[in-house]
RNA sequence: GUCCCCAUCGUCUAGAGGCCUAGGACACCACCCUUUCAAGGUGGAGACACGGGUUCGAAACCCGUUGGGGAUACCA
């Protein structure tokens, strides 16, 4: 049997970081087994679902390269089918109409609380009542009949065997009084109709699985395998919420995180393969399995994400990184000449090893993006205010003009020779040079910068600074 | 309250009863490299929540305690 997994977000906001990991695990599991990964938007709750949220989720899924098979489906479009299933269940005597008022329900909840637990909230008062007793003017809901005795065991692929006493399960609503399905019915029907073989989702659904299991059985359908993965918590161990900072994956995209780094980080949260830390998508597909998913919740650690991001930036193709920088440059209103673009790509390795995110990379890149004259920061101006520094810059410039080649090593040699001839430490020469060429006191190796900048641009910047 | 789940360095984790004097990664500290800043290299500090069992032997298995989390909707 071919594997079919699905990611089923409810479009009430952006793609949550935890949801992204759930999606990733579903994707990886499906790909590992050569199966299909489906996307189903759970917009059953029309009031809370928005089109903006749907677009945001699809955008983030694409950004993370979690490509789903076929077109995404929308749960709300199957409403008629859901209703039909619920009504069939009533006809089969496996579900029934319930005419309770909200007030009666509130009272039951109160009773359940006061009784010290051990009892269901809904007392089943319409479970065996004859339909002829139905009060007029009340649209009923449909409740499913849950078993009252024995226990239910779920063989969860992550959590192991989990058993729950059936008397803790009450007859929950599967169809609302307005004829729309509840989540509990809709997931079951859709998972069945879509041929889902493995339901991999958050831990918070573990309790629901017991309920859904009985819906599957009432319908006479095969029950998919369940795998409930632990939730991601904030740095303080509590459920991830707004006060923990960014929750949506789009926020990380905006922060300058690479999608590969994000996926790698998420993958290692709750899943491991020995001591491996940096894992490519291909490798992840080959290695991923549910056995290696941990059972305890993990905390989100921004530092580690940033570290991983830095590693990916260093190893990603310079041309691609440069393209990202150009986007930032454009947003900042900087026009980049073709020459500058070449410099950017050539200088990328030296830049990328100094940045933690793409925006830092853009900032670092500025020295290559513009042509002389360049902007100077305060430290650079201070450095160049020294007459001796300008003097040495002038002398060095003369030597550089005579350089026969413009490679990093040769430039380094010229500067060293010059410093030695003047009895100066190399730093005495290199720092003013750095200020003159980069407009800053911090930069990649200054000889690398010169090599990347090229003879003309280097000399032009030197001339301006030495004046 | 009740039900369910979880528990190894600050964090993510390795660990399938002897390979554990508990390993790796991030963060932290020191040193090296060095023209600045990073990166990189080397080293350091740092954990099996607690109490009982089981066993010749438990981080690993069982029970309890404590702590954390989740679920208890005509939300998903």
């Amino acid at each position: 049997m071919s594997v079919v997994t699905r990611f089923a977000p409810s479009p009430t906001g952006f793609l949550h970081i935890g949801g992204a990991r759930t999606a990733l695990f579903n994707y990886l599991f499906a790909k590992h087994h050569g199966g299909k990964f489906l996307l189903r938007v759970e917009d059953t709750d029309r009031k809370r679902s928005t089109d903006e949220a749907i677009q945001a989720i699809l955008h983030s899924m694409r950004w993370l390269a979690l490509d789903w098979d076929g077109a995404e489906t929308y749960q709300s479009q199957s409403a008629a089918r859901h209703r039909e299933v619920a009504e069939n269940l009533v006809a089969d005597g496996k579900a029934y109409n319930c005419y309770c008022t909200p007030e009666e329900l509130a009272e039951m909840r109160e009773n359940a609380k006061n009784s010290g637990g051990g009892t269901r909230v809904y007392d089943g008062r319409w479970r065996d009542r004859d339909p002829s007793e139905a009060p007029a003017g009340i649209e009923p809901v449909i409740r499913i009949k849950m078993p009252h005795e024995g226990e239910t065991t779920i063989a969860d692929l992550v959590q192991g065997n989990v058993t729950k006493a059936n008397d803790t399960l009450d007859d929950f609503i599967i169809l609302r009084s307005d004829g729309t399905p509840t989540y509990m019915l809709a997931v079951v029907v859709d998972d069945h109709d879509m041929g889902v073989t493995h339901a991999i989702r958050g831990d918070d659904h573990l309790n629901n699985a017991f309920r859904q299991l009985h819906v599957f059985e009432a319908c006479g359908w095969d029950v998919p395998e369940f795998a409930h993965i632990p939730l991601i918590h904030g740095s303080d161990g509590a459920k991830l919420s707004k006060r923990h900072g960014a929750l949506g994956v789009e926020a990380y995209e905006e922060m300058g995180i690479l999608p590969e780094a994000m996926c790698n980080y998420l993958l290692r949260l709750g899943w491991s393969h020995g001591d491996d830390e940096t894992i490519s998508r291909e490798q992840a597909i080959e290695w991923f399995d549910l056995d290696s998913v941990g059972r305890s919740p993990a905390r989100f650690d921004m530092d580690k994400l940033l570290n991983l991001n830095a590693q990916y930036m260093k190893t990603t193709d310079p041309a691609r990184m440069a393209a990202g920088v150009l986007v930032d440059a454009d947003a900042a209103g900087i026009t980049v000449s073709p020459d500058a673009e070449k410099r950017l790509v050539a200088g990328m390795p030296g830049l990328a090893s100094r940045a933690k995110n793409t925006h830092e990379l853009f900032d670092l890149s500025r020295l290559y993006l513009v042509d002389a004259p360049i902007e100077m920061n305060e430290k650079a101006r201070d450095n160049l205010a020294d007459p001796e520094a300008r003097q040495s810059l002038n002398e060095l410039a003369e030597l550089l003009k005579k350089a026969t080649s413009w490679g990093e090593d040769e430039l380094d040699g010229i500067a060293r020779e010059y410093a030695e001839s003047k009895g100066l430490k190399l730093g005495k020469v290199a720092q003013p040079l750095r200020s003159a060429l980069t407009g800053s006191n911090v930069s990649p190796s200054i000889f690398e910068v010169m090599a990347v900048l090229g003879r003309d641009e280097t000399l032009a910047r030197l001339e301006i600074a030495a004046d």
Side-chain angles (χ1 to χ4, degrees):
Chain A
M1 180 181 60
S2 181
V3 165
V4 178
T5 65
R6 105 269 126 133
F7 176 54
S10 53
T12 54
F14 38 50
L15 179 60
H16 192 275
I17 207 78
R21 187 182 57 153
T22 301
L24 175 66
F25 283 14
N26 273 288
Y27 172 91
L28 258 19
F29 185 78
K31 297 297 166 190
H32 176 82
H33 291 283
K36 279 188 169 23
F37 168 63
L38 274 20
L39 177 63
R40 182 177 72 224
V41 179
E42 306 232 317
D43 55 348
T44 308
D45 185 351
R46 303 304 288 163
K47 285 186 276 299
R48 301 202 308 153
S49 301
T50 66
D51 193 52
E52 293 74 61
I54 292 173
Q55 293 316 316
I57 290 168
L58 298 187
H59 169 83
S60 288
M61 291 283 290
R62 292 191 186 105
W63 181 68
L64 291 168
L66 296 176
D67 305 319
W68 55 96
D69 290 299
E72 68 273 15
T73 56
Y74 294 85
Q75 194 158 58
S76 59
Q77 288 175 358
S78 308
R81 160 75 172 151
H82 298 146
R83 180 174 189 161
E84 179 197 333
V85 171
E87 282 163 356
N88 285 159
L89 250 21
V90 173
D92 287 352
K94 292 182 173 153
Y96 58 93
N97 289 128
C98 167
Y99 296 85
C100 285
T101 61
E103 292 71 39
E104 286 178 281
L105 259 15
E107 199 182 310
M108 286 182 224
R109 241 188 303 278
E110 196 59 28
N111 289 155
K113 201 169 264 178
N114 294 340
S115 71
T119 47
R120 300 177 207 88
V121 171
Y122 179 70
D123 62 12
R125 65 180 63 172
W126 284 94
R127 185 179 170 110
D128 298 309
R129 194 114 66 118
D130 193 283
S132 66
E133 292 179 48
I138 292 185
E139 277 304 315
V141 297
I142 293 180
R143 287 181 184 270
I144 187 159
K145 286 183 184 173
M146 294 295 275
H148 283 178
E149 272 149 36
E151 50 186 36
T152 303
T153 295
I154 287 182
D156 194 278
L157 264 20
V158 169
Q159 305 290 341
N161 283 147
V162 183
T163 301
K164 201 170 162 68
N166 287 151
D167 61 13
T168 63
L169 270 19
D170 56 9
D171 294 349
F172 57 91
I173 295 171
I174 55 174
L175 198 77
R176 302 187 187 103
S177 51
D178 65 0
T180 60
T182 60
Y183 160 77
M184 224 53 96
L185 202 228
V187 244
V188 170
V189 175
D190 289 352
D191 280 349
H192 173 262
D193 289 357
M194 292 163 78
V196 171
T197 59
H198 299 258
I200 304 171
R201 72 242 289 204
D203 221 351
D204 49 343
H205 286 289
L206 184 54
N207 284 295
N208 292 334
F210 291 97
R211 299 190 166 82
Q212 290 159 204
L213 184 100
H214 288 107
V215 179
F216 276 106
E217 284 176 349
C219 292
W221 297 333
D222 286 340
V223 183
E225 298 282 353
F226 290 114
H228 290 92
I229 63 180
L231 266 16
I232 297 175
H233 291 163
S235 52
D236 59 356
K239 193 178 180 179
L240 216 44
S241 68
K242 288 212 176 74
R243 73 197 150 84
H244 293 111
L247 290 176
V249 335
E250 56 190 16
Y252 294 91
E253 178 183 2
E254 283 161 18
M255 264 181 240
I257 301 293
L258 256 26
E260 290 88 344
M262 192 76 226
C263 284
N264 196 150
Y265 177 72
L266 255 17
L267 174 64
R268 284 287 291 106
L269 229 45
W271 178 86
S272 62
H273 182 268
D275 285 337
D276 294 302
E277 296 284 350
T278 306
I279 303 163
S280 68
R281 173 64 60 91
E282 292 67 36
Q283 195 70 87
I285 289 172
E286 190 187 325
W287 285 342
F288 190 81
D289 62 67
L290 260 11
D291 301 340
S292 305
V293 175
R295 275 171 296 177
S296 51
R299 300 186 188 202
F300 192 84
D301 181 11
M302 194 64 199
D303 281 338
K304 190 149 184 172
L305 207 210
L306 249 16
N307 174 275
L308 218 34
N309 197 46
Q311 288 187 48
Y312 273 91
M313 290 204 295
K314 274 191 296 187
T315 53
T316 296
D317 173 43
R320 187 186 137 195
M321 292 310 299
V325 166
L326 258 19
V327 172
D328 272 8
D330 189 52
I334 298 174
T335 310
V336 181
S337 68
D339 269 0
E341 199 175 321
K342 277 186 201 133
R343 295 198 295 249
L344 179 63
V345 176
M348 190 50 70
L351 261 17
S353 64
R354 290 171 167 78
K356 289 237 180 272
N357 63 55
T358 61
H359 302 313
E360 277 185 24
L361 184 66
F362 162 63
D363 271 339
L364 257 21
S365 300
R366 286 173 186 269
L367 76 140
Y368 292 138
L369 296 179
V370 294
D371 298 315
I374 58 169
E375 273 180 49
M376 295 274 155
N377 72 13
E378 205 184 310
K379 289 262 175 63
R381 278 197 297 268
D382 286 351
N383 275 342
L384 295 170
D386 178 10
E388 279 180 40
R390 289 210 302 279
Q391 164 79 15
S392 66
L393 243 33
N394 263 319
E395 292 172 358
L396 188 57
E398 289 310 313
L399 294 172
L400 289 170
K401 280 177 191 161
K402 288 183 249 164
T404 50
S405 82
W406 203 260
E408 188 175 338
D409 290 344
E410 172 158 22
L411 295 166
D412 186 316
I414 292 171
R416 273 175 211 280
E417 251 175 64
Y418 169 74
E420 204 173 324
S421 72
K422 289 284 171 177
L424 296 170
K425 280 193 168 177
L426 184 57
K428 264 296 199 196
V429 177
Q431 274 310 94
L433 199 50
R434 186 183 317 283
S435 297
L437 299 179
T438 71
S440 167
N441 53 313
V442 175
S443 84
S445 160
I446 196 57
F447 306 114
E448 176 188 330
V449 170
M450 289 167 81
V452 170
L453 244 22
R455 183 192 186 94
D456 293 350
E457 181 64 23
T458 299
L459 261 18
R461 291 186 188 191
L462 271 182
E463 198 169 315
I464 292 167
D467 267 349

